[in-house]
Amino acid sequence: MSVVLYGSPSTASLVVHWLLIELGVDHELRMLDFDRHEQKSPEYLAINPQGRVPALLLDGQVLTESAAIAMHLADLHPQAGLAPAIATPARAAYYRWMFFCAYTLMPAYRSWFYADEPAGEANADEVKARARQRIEAAWQQVADQLEAHGPYLVGAQVSAADFVLTMLMRWSRNMPRPTDRWPVLEAFARRMKDRPSFAEVYRREGLTDWT
């Protein structure tokens, strides 16, 4: 299978890159320079018209959306055990938390990082304040889940949802209340960061923070 990942350091492509390494999938990595707006180039827009990363090419098929790609990779490699069996309670919980990441945390983070987008620069401070409230409330829900049903999101077995969640935890590292302020989240992150694949994706992307 031909596998090509388009990404950029510290973006949503990190989790896809991490999973490819975790799963031992041979791939070509094409990093885009956001400072040069390569994600908006005609060549890249022909691959992903949204002008965002990640984009994963599997034998020429274009896949976008980091959570969706993570789920597909887990299903393509069942031997890794990163997705619970279909039609089980664990699978239902896996769907719930994967889409919690995609529909609750990711939009709130976008409002935090790009606060001028929803209502203009004049209202950016208010947008950020509300985004922070949503983000911290969401992390409290995750902490409660891990406290009651951990050590991972769907119980004893790590899943692709945990990889997505860990990436989103990293996004809070410079916020007023980073996720490490919740002891149960800090312990969860430590388990994920101790995986050899995490050190390897950091090495390949040249990342040094939040280790």
Side-chain angles (χ1 to χ4, degrees), residues 91-140:
R91 184 75 173 205
Y94 169 72
Y95 288 144
R96 174 195 176 188
W97 290 107
M98 188 67 84
F99 286 99
F100 182 90
C101 290
Y103 291 153
T104 299
L105 279 166
M106 288 184 184
Y109 271 121
R110 185 160 191 89
S111 293
W112 170 265
F113 288 119
Y114 303 98
D116 61 312
E117 288 184 350
E121 188 64 40
N123 299 295
D125 288 345
E126 179 64 20
V127 170
K128 286 193 75 169
R130 291 177 180 271
R132 179 186 172 185
Q133 291 175 355
R134 295 200 308 273
I135 291 167
E136 291 181 4
W139 284 119
Q140 185 60 56

mmCIF file of all heavy atoms in Angstrom, residues 91-140:
data_model
loop_
_atom_site.group_PDB
_atom_site.id
_atom_site.type_symbol
_atom_site.label_atom_id
_atom_site.label_comp_id
_atom_site.label_asym_id
_atom_site.label_seq_id
_atom_site.Cartn_x
_atom_site.Cartn_y
_atom_site.Cartn_z
ATOM 1 N N ARG A 91 -17.118 -0.499 21.754
ATOM 2 C CA ARG A 91 -17.088 0.212 20.469
ATOM 3 C C ARG A 91 -17.959 1.463 20.532
ATOM 4 O O ARG A 91 -17.594 2.515 20.005
ATOM 5 C CB ARG A 91 -17.566 -0.715 19.348
ATOM 6 C CG ARG A 91 -17.488 -0.117 17.942
ATOM 7 C CD ARG A 91 -16.068 -0.073 17.422
ATOM 8 N NE ARG A 91 -16.000 0.342 16.024
ATOM 9 C CZ ARG A 91 -15.022 0.027 15.188
ATOM 10 N NH1 ARG A 91 -14.024 -0.718 15.602
ATOM 11 N NH2 ARG A 91 -15.021 0.441 13.950
ATOM 12 N N ALA A 92 -19.099 1.365 21.178
ATOM 13 C CA ALA A 92 -19.972 2.524 21.326
ATOM 14 C C ALA A 92 -19.268 3.625 22.115
ATOM 15 O O ALA A 92 -19.349 4.813 21.763
ATOM 16 C CB ALA A 92 -21.275 2.119 22.003
ATOM 17 N N ALA A 93 -18.586 3.248 23.195
ATOM 18 C CA ALA A 93 -17.841 4.235 23.977
ATOM 19 C C ALA A 93 -16.715 4.844 23.156
ATOM 20 O O ALA A 93 -16.438 6.049 23.260
ATOM 21 C CB ALA A 93 -17.289 3.585 25.240
ATOM 22 N N TYR A 94 -16.080 4.031 22.357
ATOM 23 C CA TYR A 94 -15.005 4.498 21.460
ATOM 24 C C TYR A 94 -15.532 5.558 20.492
ATOM 25 O O TYR A 94 -14.927 6.619 20.312
ATOM 26 C CB TYR A 94 -14.467 3.283 20.721
ATOM 27 C CG TYR A 94 -13.531 3.501 19.568
ATOM 28 C CD1 TYR A 94 -12.227 3.930 19.774
ATOM 29 C CD2 TYR A 94 -13.927 3.190 18.260
ATOM 30 C CE1 TYR A 94 -11.342 4.062 18.711
ATOM 31 C CE2 TYR A 94 -13.055 3.317 17.202
ATOM 32 C CZ TYR A 94 -11.763 3.762 17.423
ATOM 33 O OH TYR A 94 -10.901 3.887 16.368
ATOM 34 N N TYR A 95 -16.686 5.305 19.871
ATOM 35 C CA TYR A 95 -17.299 6.298 18.991
ATOM 36 C C TYR A 95 -17.595 7.583 19.771
ATOM 37 O O TYR A 95 -17.326 8.694 19.288
ATOM 38 C CB TYR A 95 -18.606 5.770 18.409
ATOM 39 C CG TYR A 95 -18.475 4.694 17.361
ATOM 40 C CD1 TYR A 95 -19.404 3.652 17.297
ATOM 41 C CD2 TYR A 95 -17.450 4.708 16.427
ATOM 42 C CE1 TYR A 95 -19.311 2.656 16.339
ATOM 43 C CE2 TYR A 95 -17.347 3.714 15.464
ATOM 44 C CZ TYR A 95 -18.277 2.692 15.420
ATOM 45 O OH TYR A 95 -18.182 1.712 14.469
ATOM 46 N N ARG A 96 -18.176 7.404 20.953
ATOM 47 C CA ARG A 96 -18.547 8.585 21.746
ATOM 48 C C ARG A 96 -17.352 9.489 21.984
ATOM 49 O O ARG A 96 -17.419 10.702 21.748
ATOM 50 C CB ARG A 96 -19.129 8.141 23.087
ATOM 51 C CG ARG A 96 -19.399 9.308 24.033
ATOM 52 C CD ARG A 96 -19.622 8.876 25.467
ATOM 53 N NE ARG A 96 -19.775 10.041 26.329
ATOM 54 C CZ ARG A 96 -19.831 9.980 27.646
ATOM 55 N NH1 ARG A 96 -19.761 8.813 28.260
ATOM 56 N NH2 ARG A 96 -19.963 11.090 28.370
ATOM 57 N N TRP A 97 -16.253 8.927 22.451
ATOM 58 C CA TRP A 97 -15.113 9.756 22.830
ATOM 59 C C TRP A 97 -14.331 10.249 21.629
ATOM 60 O O TRP A 97 -13.769 11.352 21.655
ATOM 61 C CB TRP A 97 -14.236 9.015 23.833
ATOM 62 C CG TRP A 97 -14.940 8.896 25.146
ATOM 63 C CD1 TRP A 97 -15.491 7.781 25.701
ATOM 64 C CD2 TRP A 97 -15.243 9.969 26.044
ATOM 65 N NE1 TRP A 97 -16.104 8.081 26.886
ATOM 66 C CE2 TRP A 97 -15.971 9.425 27.125
ATOM 67 C CE3 TRP A 97 -14.966 11.339 26.035
ATOM 68 C CZ2 TRP A 97 -16.412 10.189 28.186
ATOM 69 C CZ3 TRP A 97 -15.410 12.112 27.104
ATOM 70 C CH2 TRP A 97 -16.120 11.549 28.156
ATOM 71 N N MET A 98 -14.308 9.484 20.560
ATOM 72 C CA MET A 98 -13.658 9.983 19.351
ATOM 73 C C MET A 98 -14.389 11.218 18.833
ATOM 74 O O MET A 98 -13.768 12.243 18.473
ATOM 75 C CB MET A 98 -13.611 8.894 18.279
ATOM 76 C CG MET A 98 -12.779 9.270 17.064
ATOM 77 S SD MET A 98 -11.004 9.435 17.403
ATOM 78 C CE MET A 98 -10.483 7.719 17.265
ATOM 79 N N PHE A 99 -15.719 11.155 18.830
ATOM 80 C CA PHE A 99 -16.480 12.297 18.325
ATOM 81 C C PHE A 99 -16.574 13.417 19.349
ATOM 82 O O PHE A 99 -16.771 14.580 18.981
ATOM 83 C CB PHE A 99 -17.841 11.830 17.820
ATOM 84 C CG PHE A 99 -17.735 11.112 16.514
ATOM 85 C CD1 PHE A 99 -17.723 9.720 16.468
ATOM 86 C CD2 PHE A 99 -17.575 11.805 15.327
ATOM 87 C CE1 PHE A 99 -17.582 9.045 15.272
ATOM 88 C CE2 PHE A 99 -17.441 11.143 14.122
ATOM 89 C CZ PHE A 99 -17.442 9.761 14.084
ATOM 90 N N PHE A 100 -16.402 13.116 20.618
ATOM 91 C CA PHE A 100 -16.252 14.160 21.619
ATOM 92 C C PHE A 100 -15.012 14.995 21.301
ATOM 93 O O PHE A 100 -15.043 16.234 21.376
ATOM 94 C CB PHE A 100 -16.135 13.529 23.006
ATOM 95 C CG PHE A 100 -16.031 14.511 24.140
ATOM 96 C CD1 PHE A 100 -17.169 14.974 24.783
ATOM 97 C CD2 PHE A 100 -14.795 14.951 24.592
ATOM 98 C CE1 PHE A 100 -17.075 15.860 25.840
ATOM 99 C CE2 PHE A 100 -14.690 15.839 25.642
ATOM 100 C CZ PHE A 100 -15.838 16.298 26.273
ATOM 101 N N CYS A 101 -13.946 14.316 20.939
ATOM 102 C CA CYS A 101 -12.736 15.036 20.533
ATOM 103 C C CYS A 101 -13.000 15.915 19.309
ATOM 104 O O CYS A 101 -12.585 17.080 19.259
ATOM 105 C CB CYS A 101 -11.616 14.047 20.219
ATOM 106 S SG CYS A 101 -10.938 13.180 21.657
ATOM 107 N N ALA A 102 -13.704 15.348 18.327
ATOM 108 C CA ALA A 102 -13.906 16.047 17.059
ATOM 109 C C ALA A 102 -14.943 17.156 17.137
ATOM 110 O O ALA A 102 -14.787 18.210 16.503
ATOM 111 C CB ALA A 102 -14.301 15.044 15.969
ATOM 112 N N TYR A 103 -16.014 16.934 17.905
ATOM 113 C CA TYR A 103 -17.141 17.868 17.896
ATOM 114 C C TYR A 103 -17.174 18.814 19.090
ATOM 115 O O TYR A 103 -17.828 19.857 19.023
ATOM 116 C CB TYR A 103 -18.466 17.097 17.859
ATOM 117 C CG TYR A 103 -18.747 16.375 16.570
ATOM 118 C CD1 TYR A 103 -19.548 15.238 16.551
ATOM 119 C CD2 TYR A 103 -18.208 16.817 15.367
ATOM 120 C CE1 TYR A 103 -19.814 14.564 15.370
ATOM 121 C CE2 TYR A 103 -18.471 16.150 14.188
ATOM 122 C CZ TYR A 103 -19.272 15.027 14.190
ATOM 123 O OH TYR A 103 -19.538 14.367 13.013
ATOM 124 N N THR A 104 -16.510 18.449 20.188
ATOM 125 C CA THR A 104 -16.518 19.298 21.378
ATOM 126 C C THR A 104 -15.177 20.001 21.570
ATOM 127 O O THR A 104 -15.114 21.235 21.624
ATOM 128 C CB THR A 104 -16.874 18.473 22.628
ATOM 129 O OG1 THR A 104 -18.188 17.928 22.462
ATOM 130 C CG2 THR A 104 -16.846 19.333 23.885
ATOM 131 N N LEU A 105 -14.103 19.239 21.657
ATOM 132 C CA LEU A 105 -12.813 19.844 21.935
ATOM 133 C C LEU A 105 -12.230 20.608 20.748
ATOM 134 O O LEU A 105 -11.779 21.748 20.898
ATOM 135 C CB LEU A 105 -11.828 18.779 22.406
ATOM 136 C CG LEU A 105 -11.955 18.388 23.884
ATOM 137 C CD1 LEU A 105 -11.190 17.103 24.169
ATOM 138 C CD2 LEU A 105 -11.448 19.516 24.777
ATOM 139 N N MET A 106 -12.210 20.007 19.575
ATOM 140 C CA MET A 106 -11.559 20.671 18.442
ATOM 141 C C MET A 106 -12.199 22.013 18.083
ATOM 142 O O MET A 106 -11.480 23.002 17.883
ATOM 143 C CB MET A 106 -11.504 19.730 17.234
ATOM 144 C CG MET A 106 -10.514 18.588 17.395
ATOM 145 S SD MET A 106 -10.396 17.578 15.887
ATOM 146 C CE MET A 106 -9.272 16.289 16.443
ATOM 147 N N PRO A 107 -13.537 22.118 17.994
ATOM 148 C CA PRO A 107 -14.127 23.435 17.694
ATOM 149 C C PRO A 107 -13.832 24.470 18.779
ATOM 150 O O PRO A 107 -13.618 25.652 18.472
ATOM 151 C CB PRO A 107 -15.620 23.140 17.581
ATOM 152 C CG PRO A 107 -15.709 21.692 17.261
ATOM 153 C CD PRO A 107 -14.567 21.058 17.992
ATOM 154 N N ALA A 108 -13.829 24.042 20.045
ATOM 155 C CA ALA A 108 -13.528 24.984 21.119
ATOM 156 C C ALA A 108 -12.089 25.472 21.029
ATOM 157 O O ALA A 108 -11.808 26.663 21.238
ATOM 158 C CB ALA A 108 -13.797 24.332 22.468
ATOM 159 N N TYR A 109 -11.178 24.572 20.711
ATOM 160 C CA TYR A 109 -9.790 24.980 20.522
ATOM 161 C C TYR A 109 -9.657 25.962 19.346
ATOM 162 O O TYR A 109 -8.878 26.919 19.415
ATOM 163 C CB TYR A 109 -8.903 23.763 20.271
ATOM 164 C CG TYR A 109 -8.339 23.124 21.509
ATOM 165 C CD1 TYR A 109 -8.608 21.796 21.810
ATOM 166 C CD2 TYR A 109 -7.507 23.824 22.371
ATOM 167 C CE1 TYR A 109 -8.076 21.182 22.940
ATOM 168 C CE2 TYR A 109 -6.961 23.227 23.497
ATOM 169 C CZ TYR A 109 -7.251 21.908 23.777
ATOM 170 O OH TYR A 109 -6.718 21.315 24.896
ATOM 171 N N ARG A 110 -10.391 25.714 18.290
ATOM 172 C CA ARG A 110 -10.304 26.638 17.149
ATOM 173 C C ARG A 110 -10.749 28.033 17.570
ATOM 174 O O ARG A 110 -10.145 29.040 17.162
ATOM 175 C CB ARG A 110 -11.125 26.131 15.968
ATOM 176 C CG ARG A 110 -10.939 27.025 14.741
ATOM 177 C CD ARG A 110 -11.294 26.387 13.425
ATOM 178 N NE ARG A 110 -10.843 27.234 12.332
ATOM 179 C CZ ARG A 110 -9.653 27.180 11.769
ATOM 180 N NH1 ARG A 110 -8.767 26.287 12.172
ATOM 181 N NH2 ARG A 110 -9.315 28.009 10.789
ATOM 182 N N SER A 111 -11.802 28.115 18.386
ATOM 183 C CA SER A 111 -12.252 29.421 18.869
ATOM 184 C C SER A 111 -11.191 30.083 19.743
ATOM 185 O O SER A 111 -11.057 31.310 19.746
ATOM 186 C CB SER A 111 -13.554 29.270 19.655
ATOM 187 O OG SER A 111 -14.613 28.880 18.806
ATOM 188 N N TRP A 112 -10.438 29.270 20.485
ATOM 189 C CA TRP A 112 -9.379 29.821 21.333
ATOM 190 C C TRP A 112 -8.211 30.339 20.485
ATOM 191 O O TRP A 112 -7.731 31.454 20.677
ATOM 192 C CB TRP A 112 -8.889 28.759 22.319
ATOM 193 C CG TRP A 112 -7.641 29.164 23.056
ATOM 194 C CD1 TRP A 112 -6.351 28.869 22.740
ATOM 195 C CD2 TRP A 112 -7.566 29.971 24.243
ATOM 196 N NE1 TRP A 112 -5.482 29.421 23.639
ATOM 197 C CE2 TRP A 112 -6.200 30.110 24.582
ATOM 198 C CE3 TRP A 112 -8.530 30.578 25.061
ATOM 199 C CZ2 TRP A 112 -5.765 30.823 25.694
ATOM 200 C CZ3 TRP A 112 -8.102 31.294 26.170
ATOM 201 C CH2 TRP A 112 -6.731 31.415 26.477
ATOM 202 N N PHE A 113 -7.760 29.529 19.545
ATOM 203 C CA PHE A 113 -6.582 29.896 18.769
ATOM 204 C C PHE A 113 -6.877 30.915 17.664
ATOM 205 O O PHE A 113 -5.989 31.666 17.265
ATOM 206 C CB PHE A 113 -5.950 28.640 18.155
ATOM 207 C CG PHE A 113 -5.255 27.753 19.153
ATOM 208 C CD1 PHE A 113 -5.680 26.451 19.357
ATOM 209 C CD2 PHE A 113 -4.185 28.214 19.893
ATOM 210 C CE1 PHE A 113 -5.043 25.622 20.280
ATOM 211 C CE2 PHE A 113 -3.540 27.401 20.819
ATOM 212 C CZ PHE A 113 -3.971 26.102 21.011
ATOM 213 N N TYR A 114 -8.107 30.911 17.168
ATOM 214 C CA TYR A 114 -8.491 31.826 16.083
ATOM 215 C C TYR A 114 -9.731 32.605 16.518
ATOM 216 O O TYR A 114 -10.777 32.561 15.873
ATOM 217 C CB TYR A 114 -8.750 31.053 14.796
ATOM 218 C CG TYR A 114 -7.559 30.223 14.351
ATOM 219 C CD1 TYR A 114 -7.490 28.858 14.652
ATOM 220 C CD2 TYR A 114 -6.508 30.797 13.650
ATOM 221 C CE1 TYR A 114 -6.398 28.097 14.274
ATOM 222 C CE2 TYR A 114 -5.406 30.042 13.253
ATOM 223 C CZ TYR A 114 -5.366 28.690 13.569
ATOM 224 O OH TYR A 114 -4.276 27.942 13.181
ATOM 225 N N ALA A 115 -9.577 33.337 17.619
ATOM 226 C CA ALA A 115 -10.727 33.974 18.265
ATOM 227 C C ALA A 115 -11.367 35.066 17.426
ATOM 228 O O ALA A 115 -12.532 35.419 17.653
ATOM 229 C CB ALA A 115 -10.304 34.549 19.620
ATOM 230 N N ASP A 116 -10.659 35.594 16.452
ATOM 231 C CA ASP A 116 -11.225 36.653 15.610
ATOM 232 C C ASP A 116 -12.182 36.114 14.554
ATOM 233 O O ASP A 116 -12.984 36.869 14.000
ATOM 234 C CB ASP A 116 -10.110 37.433 14.919
ATOM 235 C CG ASP A 116 -9.273 36.541 14.011
ATOM 236 O OD1 ASP A 116 -8.854 35.455 14.465
ATOM 237 O OD2 ASP A 116 -9.045 36.913 12.844
ATOM 238 N N GLU A 117 -12.116 34.804 14.292
ATOM 239 C CA GLU A 117 -12.917 34.250 13.197
ATOM 240 C C GLU A 117 -14.424 34.317 13.434
ATOM 241 O O GLU A 117 -15.165 34.727 12.542
ATOM 242 C CB GLU A 117 -12.503 32.794 12.927
ATOM 243 C CG GLU A 117 -11.160 32.649 12.257
ATOM 244 C CD GLU A 117 -10.841 31.196 11.920
ATOM 245 O OE1 GLU A 117 -11.567 30.293 12.379
ATOM 246 O OE2 GLU A 117 -9.867 30.986 11.187
ATOM 247 N N PRO A 118 -14.932 33.935 14.618
ATOM 248 C CA PRO A 118 -16.389 33.883 14.767
ATOM 249 C C PRO A 118 -17.072 35.241 14.729
ATOM 250 O O PRO A 118 -18.168 35.370 14.177
ATOM 251 C CB PRO A 118 -16.592 33.213 16.132
ATOM 252 C CG PRO A 118 -15.311 32.527 16.427
ATOM 253 C CD PRO A 118 -14.252 33.374 15.788
ATOM 254 N N ALA A 119 -16.444 36.274 15.349
ATOM 255 C CA ALA A 119 -17.170 37.540 15.510
ATOM 256 C C ALA A 119 -16.295 38.765 15.325
ATOM 257 O O ALA A 119 -16.666 39.859 15.764
ATOM 258 C CB ALA A 119 -17.822 37.581 16.888
ATOM 259 N N GLY A 120 -15.142 38.626 14.705
ATOM 260 C CA GLY A 120 -14.291 39.770 14.427
ATOM 261 C C GLY A 120 -13.318 40.072 15.549
ATOM 262 O O GLY A 120 -13.487 39.635 16.690
ATOM 263 N N GLU A 121 -12.275 40.838 15.218
ATOM 264 C CA GLU A 121 -11.199 41.138 16.153
ATOM 265 C C GLU A 121 -11.706 41.855 17.394
ATOM 266 O O GLU A 121 -11.209 41.629 18.506
ATOM 267 C CB GLU A 121 -10.140 42.003 15.452
ATOM 268 C CG GLU A 121 -8.876 42.229 16.265
ATOM 269 C CD GLU A 121 -8.108 40.939 16.530
ATOM 270 O OE1 GLU A 121 -8.026 40.094 15.612
ATOM 271 O OE2 GLU A 121 -7.614 40.790 17.664
ATOM 272 N N ALA A 122 -12.710 42.720 17.258
ATOM 273 C CA ALA A 122 -13.212 43.489 18.397
ATOM 274 C C ALA A 122 -13.797 42.595 19.484
ATOM 275 O O ALA A 122 -13.845 42.980 20.653
ATOM 276 C CB ALA A 122 -14.260 44.501 17.931
ATOM 277 N N ASN A 123 -14.239 41.411 19.120
ATOM 278 C CA ASN A 123 -14.871 40.501 20.075
ATOM 279 C C ASN A 123 -13.982 39.302 20.422
ATOM 280 O O ASN A 123 -14.454 38.354 21.057
ATOM 281 C CB ASN A 123 -16.198 39.998 19.503
ATOM 282 C CG ASN A 123 -17.165 41.132 19.249
ATOM 283 O OD1 ASN A 123 -17.607 41.789 20.183
ATOM 284 N ND2 ASN A 123 -17.489 41.375 17.983
ATOM 285 N N ALA A 124 -12.729 39.354 20.033
ATOM 286 C CA ALA A 124 -11.847 38.200 20.197
ATOM 287 C C ALA A 124 -11.653 37.826 21.665
ATOM 288 O O ALA A 124 -11.622 36.638 22.009
ATOM 289 C CB ALA A 124 -10.497 38.467 19.534
ATOM 290 N N ASP A 125 -11.526 38.805 22.546
ATOM 291 C CA ASP A 125 -11.298 38.495 23.955
ATOM 292 C C ASP A 125 -12.487 37.738 24.552
ATOM 293 O O ASP A 125 -12.305 36.793 25.326
ATOM 294 C CB ASP A 125 -11.040 39.774 24.749
ATOM 295 C CG ASP A 125 -9.674 40.378 24.448
ATOM 296 O OD1 ASP A 125 -8.828 39.675 23.857
ATOM 297 O OD2 ASP A 125 -9.464 41.561 24.791
ATOM 298 N N GLU A 126 -13.696 38.164 24.200
ATOM 299 C CA GLU A 126 -14.885 37.484 24.706
ATOM 300 C C GLU A 126 -14.979 36.070 24.142
ATOM 301 O O GLU A 126 -15.337 35.118 24.851
ATOM 302 C CB GLU A 126 -16.142 38.271 24.347
ATOM 303 C CG GLU A 126 -17.442 37.638 24.795
ATOM 304 C CD GLU A 126 -17.589 37.531 26.301
ATOM 305 O OE1 GLU A 126 -16.885 38.271 27.025
ATOM 306 O OE2 GLU A 126 -18.403 36.701 26.766
ATOM 307 N N VAL A 127 -14.644 35.915 22.867
ATOM 308 C CA VAL A 127 -14.658 34.588 22.252
ATOM 309 C C VAL A 127 -13.666 33.667 22.962
ATOM 310 O O VAL A 127 -13.977 32.510 23.278
ATOM 311 C CB VAL A 127 -14.342 34.682 20.750
ATOM 312 C CG1 VAL A 127 -14.106 33.292 20.149
ATOM 313 C CG2 VAL A 127 -15.475 35.387 20.010
ATOM 314 N N LYS A 128 -12.461 34.180 23.243
ATOM 315 C CA LYS A 128 -11.452 33.365 23.923
ATOM 316 C C LYS A 128 -11.910 32.975 25.325
ATOM 317 O O LYS A 128 -11.695 31.837 25.768
ATOM 318 C CB LYS A 128 -10.119 34.118 24.005
ATOM 319 C CG LYS A 128 -9.363 34.206 22.691
ATOM 320 C CD LYS A 128 -7.934 34.666 22.886
ATOM 321 C CE LYS A 128 -7.070 33.573 23.455
ATOM 322 N NZ LYS A 128 -5.618 33.893 23.411
ATOM 323 N N ALA A 129 -12.523 33.904 26.025
ATOM 324 C CA ALA A 129 -12.985 33.609 27.379
ATOM 325 C C ALA A 129 -14.026 32.491 27.370
ATOM 326 O O ALA A 129 -13.987 31.578 28.203
ATOM 327 C CB ALA A 129 -13.554 34.865 28.023
ATOM 328 N N ARG A 130 -14.953 32.569 26.423
ATOM 329 C CA ARG A 130 -15.977 31.531 26.334
ATOM 330 C C ARG A 130 -15.376 30.202 25.874
ATOM 331 O O ARG A 130 -15.780 29.133 26.338
ATOM 332 C CB ARG A 130 -17.091 31.979 25.393
ATOM 333 C CG ARG A 130 -17.924 33.129 25.943
ATOM 334 C CD ARG A 130 -18.970 33.595 24.949
ATOM 335 N NE ARG A 130 -19.754 34.694 25.478
ATOM 336 C CZ ARG A 130 -20.866 34.562 26.190
ATOM 337 N NH1 ARG A 130 -21.332 33.353 26.462
ATOM 338 N NH2 ARG A 130 -21.519 35.613 26.653
ATOM 339 N N ALA A 131 -14.411 30.279 24.957
ATOM 340 C CA ALA A 131 -13.757 29.057 24.496
ATOM 341 C C ALA A 131 -13.017 28.380 25.638
ATOM 342 O O ALA A 131 -13.054 27.148 25.777
ATOM 343 C CB ALA A 131 -12.795 29.372 23.363
ATOM 344 N N ARG A 132 -12.353 29.185 26.451
ATOM 345 C CA ARG A 132 -11.642 28.604 27.598
ATOM 346 C C ARG A 132 -12.606 27.880 28.522
ATOM 347 O O ARG A 132 -12.314 26.772 29.003
ATOM 348 C CB ARG A 132 -10.886 29.694 28.355
ATOM 349 C CG ARG A 132 -10.158 29.148 29.572
ATOM 350 C CD ARG A 132 -9.520 30.223 30.431
ATOM 351 N NE ARG A 132 -9.015 29.642 31.665
ATOM 352 C CZ ARG A 132 -8.483 30.338 32.670
ATOM 353 N NH1 ARG A 132 -8.379 31.657 32.582
ATOM 354 N NH2 ARG A 132 -8.059 29.718 33.759
ATOM 355 N N GLN A 133 -13.759 28.471 28.784
ATOM 356 C CA GLN A 133 -14.757 27.820 29.638
ATOM 357 C C GLN A 133 -15.184 26.480 29.056
ATOM 358 O O GLN A 133 -15.290 25.482 29.788
ATOM 359 C CB GLN A 133 -15.976 28.726 29.802
ATOM 360 C CG GLN A 133 -15.718 29.977 30.625
ATOM 361 C CD GLN A 133 -16.920 30.903 30.654
ATOM 362 O OE1 GLN A 133 -17.931 30.666 29.990
ATOM 363 N NE2 GLN A 133 -16.824 31.966 31.443
ATOM 364 N N ARG A 134 -15.430 26.450 27.744
ATOM 365 C CA ARG A 134 -15.854 25.201 27.111
ATOM 366 C C ARG A 134 -14.753 24.150 27.169
ATOM 367 O O ARG A 134 -15.020 22.966 27.412
ATOM 368 C CB ARG A 134 -16.275 25.457 25.658
ATOM 369 C CG ARG A 134 -17.497 26.338 25.502
ATOM 370 C CD ARG A 134 -18.143 26.176 24.137
ATOM 371 N NE ARG A 134 -17.215 26.342 23.037
ATOM 372 C CZ ARG A 134 -16.912 27.519 22.487
ATOM 373 N NH1 ARG A 134 -17.437 28.638 22.970
ATOM 374 N NH2 ARG A 134 -16.083 27.588 21.461
ATOM 375 N N ILE A 135 -13.529 24.579 26.921
ATOM 376 C CA ILE A 135 -12.405 23.641 26.915
ATOM 377 C C ILE A 135 -12.207 23.048 28.300
ATOM 378 O O ILE A 135 -12.062 21.819 28.456
ATOM 379 C CB ILE A 135 -11.124 24.341 26.422
ATOM 380 C CG1 ILE A 135 -11.234 24.665 24.924
ATOM 381 C CG2 ILE A 135 -9.896 23.480 26.687
ATOM 382 C CD1 ILE A 135 -10.172 25.620 24.416
ATOM 383 N N GLU A 136 -12.198 23.881 29.329
ATOM 384 C CA GLU A 136 -11.961 23.379 30.680
ATOM 385 C C GLU A 136 -13.116 22.501 31.159
ATOM 386 O O GLU A 136 -12.893 21.488 31.847
ATOM 387 C CB GLU A 136 -11.710 24.545 31.631
ATOM 388 C CG GLU A 136 -10.381 25.241 31.338
ATOM 389 C CD GLU A 136 -10.082 26.404 32.274
ATOM 390 O OE1 GLU A 136 -10.870 26.641 33.221
ATOM 391 O OE2 GLU A 136 -9.053 27.071 32.064
ATOM 392 N N ALA A 137 -14.347 22.846 30.780
ATOM 393 C CA ALA A 137 -15.484 21.992 31.130
ATOM 394 C C ALA A 137 -15.369 20.634 30.446
ATOM 395 O O ALA A 137 -15.674 19.586 31.038
ATOM 396 C CB ALA A 137 -16.793 22.670 30.750
ATOM 397 N N ALA A 138 -14.916 20.638 29.195
ATOM 398 C CA ALA A 138 -14.749 19.380 28.462
ATOM 399 C C ALA A 138 -13.661 18.522 29.104
ATOM 400 O O ALA A 138 -13.830 17.297 29.258
ATOM 401 C CB ALA A 138 -14.408 19.665 27.003
ATOM 402 N N TRP A 139 -12.566 19.141 29.499
ATOM 403 C CA TRP A 139 -11.494 18.357 30.121
ATOM 404 C C TRP A 139 -11.922 17.797 31.472
ATOM 405 O O TRP A 139 -11.480 16.714 31.868
ATOM 406 C CB TRP A 139 -10.218 19.189 30.245
ATOM 407 C CG TRP A 139 -9.508 19.325 28.939
ATOM 408 C CD1 TRP A 139 -9.223 20.473 28.252
ATOM 409 C CD2 TRP A 139 -9.012 18.251 28.123
ATOM 410 N NE1 TRP A 139 -8.589 20.184 27.074
ATOM 411 C CE2 TRP A 139 -8.443 18.835 26.975
ATOM 412 C CE3 TRP A 139 -8.996 16.865 28.257
ATOM 413 C CZ2 TRP A 139 -7.864 18.068 25.955
ATOM 414 C CZ3 TRP A 139 -8.425 16.101 27.249
ATOM 415 C CH2 TRP A 139 -7.861 16.708 26.112
ATOM 416 N N GLN A 140 -12.812 18.503 32.160
ATOM 417 C CA GLN A 140 -13.328 17.949 33.406
ATOM 418 C C GLN A 140 -14.149 16.687 33.134
ATOM 419 O O GLN A 140 -14.067 15.709 33.880
ATOM 420 C CB GLN A 140 -14.181 18.977 34.141
ATOM 421 C CG GLN A 140 -14.655 18.506 35.511
ATOM 422 C CD GLN A 140 -13.499 18.182 36.444
ATOM 423 O OE1 GLN A 140 -12.648 19.036 36.686
ATOM 424 N NE2 GLN A 140 -13.449 16.958 36.953
#
